[in-house]
Amino acid sequence: MKTIGKLPVNVKVISEGEEEIGSEHLDGFIKENLDKLRCDYVVVSDTSMHSIEHPSICYGLRGLCYMEINLTGPNRDLHSGSFGGAVDNPINALAHIISKLKDENGKILIPGFYDDVRELTPQEREEYAKIPFDEDEYKKDLGVDELFGEDGYSTPERDSGRPTLDANGIWGGFQGEGAKTVLPSKAGAKISMRLVPDQDPKQIEKLFTDYVKSITPRTMKVEVKSMHHAKPAITPIDTEAMKAAVRAMGKAFGKDPIFMREGGSIPVVETFQTLLGAPTILLGFGLPTENTHSPNENFDIRNFYNGIKTIAYYYDELSKINNNHG
Amino acid sequence: MKTIGKLPVNVKVISEGEEEIGSEHLDGFIKENLDKLRCDYVVVSDTSMHSIEHPSICYGLRGLCYMEINLTGPNRDLHSGSFGGAVDNPINALAHIISKLKDENGKILIPGFYDDVRELTPQEREEYAKIPFDEDEYKKDLGVDELFGEDGYSTPERDSGRPTLDANGIWGGFQGEGAKTVLPSKAGAKISMRLVPDQDPKQIEKLFTDYVKSITPRTMKVEVKSMHHAKPAITPIDTEAMKAAVRAMGKAFGKDPIFMREGGSIPVVETFQTLLGAPTILLGFGLPTENTHSPNENFDIRNFYNGIKTIAYYYDELSKINNNHG
């Protein structure tokens, strides 16, 4: 507006605060406001790029199936001296259950879990191989001596192109300083699975629930709860809208972006594509070093300005496209 | 004193408040005050009996080796979308470690753990078989559908005559309401082992530490801490002091007590026997239904009075023994 006096395209802004808890109300809102929201393209700025030296555009997101397991053994906390050895312990039982969800080579053991996984194409694996990745730097940044993951895949493939399973939280018994000899009544864990096309979170929820129930010993009562879902999403990279994004980003960063998938999930992307029928372009400016979801989360001030420039260039580029959805 | 005008024996009282944390300072105190504490018998009232209908005297206590495991994976909490699948997760790793400490049939898998276990004698097993035990009542009271424990042993044998391993606490990642997609930096657990004669807590600590380190994956840093120790203890049942205890209890309860071992630990018993050279008689009046170490812990008022009577009768009985440590 400063440069040419008016925006080159009409812009509608939609913002939400529920993304981290599965965007439960957003689908309903979009359905109720389809006419107001109708548009040619959707731009979402909630992704990261490879690095400030290697700008990238995200063309795929993993989905999510987030579950909680609650085990109850005895109906009250017991003295571990008086009952230990004769009554099963929900923490020990939970450890056995979690150890059977993913083996020590990163393979998920839930029957049927991989059935709908779309294998990475040879072309995609070539693209992955081009991503600048320094294993020593990566390990040093994270402070780990060794990486971990599914056999037969590289780290960039593992962190975004393959599904996975992580325990996000665990609790049970005495957690304070010192020692308490309790055989606890309850233990629980939060377990989430990142999904790739064409896995369906609802189907994965069912497979997970059935499997966990089947491996819970008869000494325990188990509750398996679904916390939230997100479908995996892929945006085609050969559209006019995507080519325009490459040009905009190239101008702002002085370097053409590479294409990458991202390991996280943005539930609404799949909704925009389905309900609005509009191509969704992910133009995000986060960096992997910004401690996302961790203490001291931050955002690089250089990309704050690079991002503003990219979006301004992108509006201009989009205005030049013959708008039959790219 | 009310009945005969004076106590029939001299009584020295020693009380401590550290039993639950391993009686760290008590041994030193006893060593420094050996002359003041010298005595013919020690009476400790910190055990339970079978039931109010079946009074019992405890002749054996399990020992304890209480450990803490702390695992560190990445040096900070990570976003499970961005890193999940490529970086090992300390909760998942901890579950694998705990699952390798005790199998699903209650057998402890630490190499050498059973080497020094004194097997129950045929006579002891006969005594165990006489203990009134109703499995259905026991399960109903605890609210469990099925019991659990080492193959080849009865529930009363498992809860006091055999060693065991329990996770007493576990923590890691997000424990609040809802969902947080974190791949945590740290996870930890408190693990304790109940020991029987002739297991040595120091030796068990070493076996545990070596084994846990050997099964920790190279993706993790591990710290294994010892929290506290108690040696197992057995008091002979054929002494004059024990026979006097049987008589005293018989008068107070109107029924002769049976002999039982107890699953818990009282570290000082072994110290009294070693440093004071005095037989230690365990005259305790707790009941297994009193929620020890659990919310709503209580003490049966009937045994409050039965206990007072037993101790009064016992002083009288002891005064009649020729005191060569009977």
Side-chain angles (χ1 to χ4, degrees):
Chain A
M1 288 181 76
K2 260 196 185 167
T3 313
I4 62 171
K6 60 166 190 145
L7 281 178
V9 288
N10 288 327
V11 174
K12 298 175 188 179
V13 176
I14 177 167
S15 69
E16 75 146 338
E18 281 194 329
E19 195 269 329
E20 293 296 346
I21 53 167
S23 300
E24 199 186 328
H25 300 92
L26 191 56
D27 282 18
F29 178 84
I30 293 170
K31 275 179 198 157
E32 280 165 30
N33 294 279
L34 268 184
D35 274 347
K36 280 188 197 165
L37 291 171
R38 209 163 291 289
C39 63
D40 299 307
Y41 310 102
V42 176
V43 179
V44 174
S45 289
D46 189 23
T47 47
S48 292
M49 55 175 53
H50 178 275
S51 58
I52 206 149
E53 299 78 20
H54 299 282
S56 61
I57 295 178
C58 174
Y59 76 96
L61 292 162
R62 291 199 283 196
L64 184 68
C65 176
Y66 198 113
M67 307 294 293
E68 186 173 309
I69 301 174
N70 285 292
L71 283 191
T72 304
N75 53 17
R76 59 186 187 271
D77 284 359
L78 301 175
H79 188 296
S80 73
S82 310
F83 293 90
V87 178
D88 201 7
N89 179 317
I91 301 176
N92 290 79
L94 185 61
H96 278 283
I97 291 170
I98 294 175
S99 74
K100 290 177 185 171
L101 296 176
K102 186 170 74 171
D103 73 15
E104 288 167 290
N105 299 311
K107 186 171 187 295
I108 293 158
L109 303 173
I110 300 165
F113 182 84
Y114 291 100
D115 285 359
D116 295 328
V117 169
R118 201 194 294 176
E119 287 297 325
L120 293 170
T121 63
Q123 290 80 353
E124 280 185 297
R125 300 197 75 172
E126 275 173 35
E127 286 294 316
Y128 266 112
K130 286 180 198 160
I131 297 170
F133 177 72
D134 181 329
E135 183 168 314
D136 288 335
E137 271 302 308
Y138 187 83
K139 289 197 290 191
K140 198 176 151 199
D141 172 52
L142 297 174
V144 296
D145 291 335
E146 204 163 286
L147 297 179
F148 173 83
E150 201 183 353
D151 275 345
Y153 294 92
S154 69
T155 292
E157 288 169 344
R158 287 169 176 172
D159 77 19
S160 58
R162 295 291 299 174
T164 189
L165 178 149
D166 271 292
N168 305 106
I170 193 164
W171 58 89
F174 179 64
Q175 306 182 332
E177 283 286 312
K180 183 182 174 188
T181 51
V182 61
L183 193 170
S185 169
K186 290 171 188 296
K190 296 180 196 276
I191 309 274
S192 68
M193 291 152 283
R194 296 285 169 175
L195 311 178
V196 298
D198 298 306
Q199 289 178 296
D200 171 19
K202 282 207 178 121
Q203 170 66 5
I204 295 295
E205 174 190 325
K206 187 183 177 322
L207 294 175
F208 179 92
T209 305
D210 291 349
Y211 179 59
V212 168
K213 288 185 175 173
S214 77
I215 60 174
T216 299
R218 290 193 51 216
T219 53
M220 295 287 142
K221 290 176 185 66
V222 65
E223 177 199 43
V224 184
K225 277 196 293 193
S226 169
M227 304 299 284
H228 76 82
H229 280 172
K231 289 186 182 168
I234 288 274
T235 52
I237 60 178
D238 54 357
T239 60
E240 288 305 316
M242 200 65 113
K243 289 175 191 163
V246 171
R247 289 193 298 273
M249 212 155 176
K251 284 185 203 169
F253 281 81
K255 183 168 190 177
D256 275 355
I258 55 179
F259 284 108
M260 286 177 70
R261 286 201 200 187
E262 187 160 313
S265 310
I266 310 177
V268 74
V269 168
E270 209 270 339
T271 306
F272 282 142
Q273 302 202 148
T274 309
L275 292 183
L276 294 176
T280 300
I281 312 299
L282 301 165
L283 279 181
F285 305 96
L287 294 172
T289 50
E290 291 170 343
N291 295 354
T292 324
H293 288 201
S294 178
N296 199 24
E297 182 165 356
N298 60 83
F299 185 74
D300 193 304
I301 194 76
R302 293 172 293 174
N303 266 4
F304 181 71
Y305 293 108
N306 287 336
I308 293 171
K309 283 187 203 166
T310 300
I311 297 294
Y313 285 129
Y314 193 43
Y315 290 165
D316 187 49
E317 289 288 344
L318 283 180
S319 75
K320 295 172 189 166
I321 301 177
N322 185 343
N323 69 1
N324 291 317
H325 287 178
Chain B
M1 290 181 75
K2 261 193 183 169
T3 313
I4 61 171
K6 61 167 188 142
L7 280 178
V9 290
N10 288 327
V11 174
K12 299 176 185 178
V13 175
I14 176 167
S15 69
E16 75 146 337
E18 281 194 330
E19 194 271 328
E20 293 297 345
I21 55 168
S23 300
E24 200 185 328
H25 300 93
L26 191 56
D27 282 17
F29 177 84
I30 292 170
K31 275 179 200 157
E32 281 165 31
N33 295 280
L34 269 185
D35 274 346
K36 280 189 199 166
L37 291 171
R38 210 164 292 289
C39 61
D40 300 305
Y41 310 102
V42 177
V43 179
V44 174
S45 289
D46 190 23
T47 47
S48 292
M49 55 175 54
H50 178 275
S51 58
I52 204 150
E53 298 79 20
H54 299 283
S56 60
I57 294 179
C58 174
Y59 75 96
L61 292 162
R62 290 198 284 196
L64 185 68
C65 176
Y66 198 113
M67 307 292 295
E68 187 173 309
I69 301 173
N70 285 294
L71 284 190
T72 304
N75 53 16
R76 59 187 187 273
D77 285 358
L78 301 175
H79 188 297
S80 72
S82 310
F83 293 90
V87 178
D88 201 7
N89 179 318
I91 301 177
N92 290 79
L94 184 60
H96 278 283
I97 290 171
I98 294 175
S99 75
K100 289 176 185 171
L101 297 176
K102 185 170 75 170
D103 74 13
E104 288 168 291
N105 300 311
K107 186 171 189 293
I108 293 158
L109 304 172
I110 300 165
F113 182 83
Y114 291 100
D115 285 0
D116 295 328
V117 170
R118 200 195 297 175
E119 287 298 324
L120 293 171
T121 64
Q123 289 81 353
E124 279 184 298
R125 299 196 78 174
E126 273 171 38
E127 287 293 317
Y128 266 113
K130 288 181 199 160
I131 298 170
F133 178 72
D134 181 330
E135 183 168 315
D136 288 334
E137 270 303 308
Y138 187 82
K139 290 197 291 190
K140 198 176 150 199
D141 172 53
L142 297 173
V144 297
D145 291 336
E146 204 163 288
L147 297 179
F148 174 83
E150 202 183 352
D151 276 346
Y153 294 92
S154 69
T155 293
E157 288 169 346
R158 287 169 176 172
D159 77 21
S160 58
R162 295 290 299 171
T164 188
L165 179 149
D166 271 291
N168 306 104
I170 194 165
W171 57 89
F174 178 65
Q175 305 182 334
E177 283 286 311
K180 183 182 174 187
T181 51
V182 61
L183 193 169
S185 169
K186 289 170 190 297
K190 296 180 196 279
I191 310 274
S192 69
M193 289 151 284
R194 296 285 169 174
L195 310 178
V196 298
D198 300 309
Q199 289 179 296
D200 172 18
K202 281 207 177 121
Q203 170 66 4
I204 295 295
E205 174 189 327
K206 188 183 176 322
L207 294 175
F208 179 92
T209 304
D210 291 349
Y211 179 60
V212 168
K213 287 185 175 171
S214 77
I215 60 173
T216 298
R218 289 194 50 217
T219 53
M220 295 286 141
K221 291 175 184 67
V222 66
E223 178 198 42
V224 183
K225 276 197 292 193
S226 170
M227 304 300 284
H228 76 84
H229 282 173
K231 289 188 182 165
I234 288 273
T235 52
I237 61 178
D238 54 357
T239 60
E240 289 304 318
M242 200 65 112
K243 288 175 192 163
V246 170
R247 288 193 298 273
M249 213 157 177
K251 283 185 203 168
F253 281 83
K255 184 169 188 177
D256 275 356
I258 54 178
F259 284 108
M260 285 177 70
R261 286 202 200 185
E262 186 159 314
S265 310
I266 309 177
V268 75
V269 169
E270 209 271 336
T271 306
F272 282 141
Q273 302 200 148
T274 309
L275 292 184
L276 294 177
T280 300
I281 312 299
L282 302 164
L283 278 182
F285 306 95
L287 293 172
T289 49
E290 291 170 341
N291 295 351
T292 324
H293 288 202
S294 178
N296 197 25
E297 183 165 355
N298 59 83
F299 185 73
D300 194 304
I301 194 76
R302 292 172 295 174
N303 267 4
F304 181 71
Y305 293 106
N306 288 335
I308 292 171
K309 284 187 203 167
T310 300
I311 297 295
Y313 284 129
Y314 194 44
Y315 290 166
D316 187 49
E317 291 287 345
L318 283 180
S319 73
K320 298 173 188 165
I321 301 176
N322 186 343
N323 69 1
N324 291 317
H325 285 179

